[in-house]
Amino acid sequence: VQLQASGGGLVQAGGSLRLSCAASGRTRSTISNNGMGWFRQAPGKEREFVASISWRGSITTYGDSVKDRFTISRDNAKNTVYLQMSSLSPEDTAVYYCAAGRTAIVGAGLQAYVYWGQGTLVTVSS
């Protein structure tokens, strides 16, 4: 499975962005049956959990720093996962990665994910 993240860019503080993560490859069913997640990594910092969603989208979890500002969703028919980000602040500046989980429901642990996208850069100016 290959994951392609897109939608990053430069945005002013208080603004919004929507990231997309499209899956492709021979085993397309992996993304439809498994949980998906978003992580981010700022320069000099460890990779941080942002959000996850179960295979049918019924269960979502969020990192404390993005709760009530970000929304994760998925469209299995399009093999795509989204991250809607609002009320952005400079602290949200990072490379954002999407990842496919090993199971139908995944959480914040890095070890729960088996496939990773290449990342998309989000820069929030003050």
Side-chain angles (χ1 to χ4, degrees), residues 1-120:
V1 172
Q2 294 179 336
L3 301 176
Q4 180 72 39
S6 62
L10 176 64
V11 63
Q12 288 188 334
S16 299
L17 275 178
R18 189 178 80 155
L19 305 183
S20 299
C21 175
S24 62
R26 294 180 301 159
T27 54
R28 234 174 33 155
S29 59
T30 299
I31 184 176
S32 297
N33 294 332
N34 289 7
M36 297 290 293
W38 285 96
F39 290 77
R40 67 185 183 185
Q41 189 164 19
K45 294 187 177 181
E46 294 186 351
R47 193 162 296 192
E48 174 190 16
F49 171 75
V50 174
S52 67
I53 187 167
S54 61
W55 70 298
R56 288 188 173 181
S58 59
I59 300 172
T60 57
T61 58
Y62 296 92
D64 289 341
S65 61
V66 306
K67 203 170 294 184
D68 298 325
R69 298 188 299 121
F70 290 10
T71 301
I72 188 171
S73 62
R74 67 189 298 162
D75 185 339
N76 286 343
K78 296 182 179 179
N79 283 309
T80 302
V81 178
Y82 304 97
L83 184 68
Q84 179 66 48
M85 306 184 294
S86 61
S87 301
L88 287 163
S89 71
E91 289 69 35
D92 295 315
T93 295
V95 176
Y96 284 72
Y97 298 91
C98 63
R102 301 178 186 275
T103 56
I105 299 173
V106 289
L110 290 170
Q111 69 281 1
Y113 297 85
V114 61
Y115 299 109
W116 292 83
Q118 86 293 351
T120 185

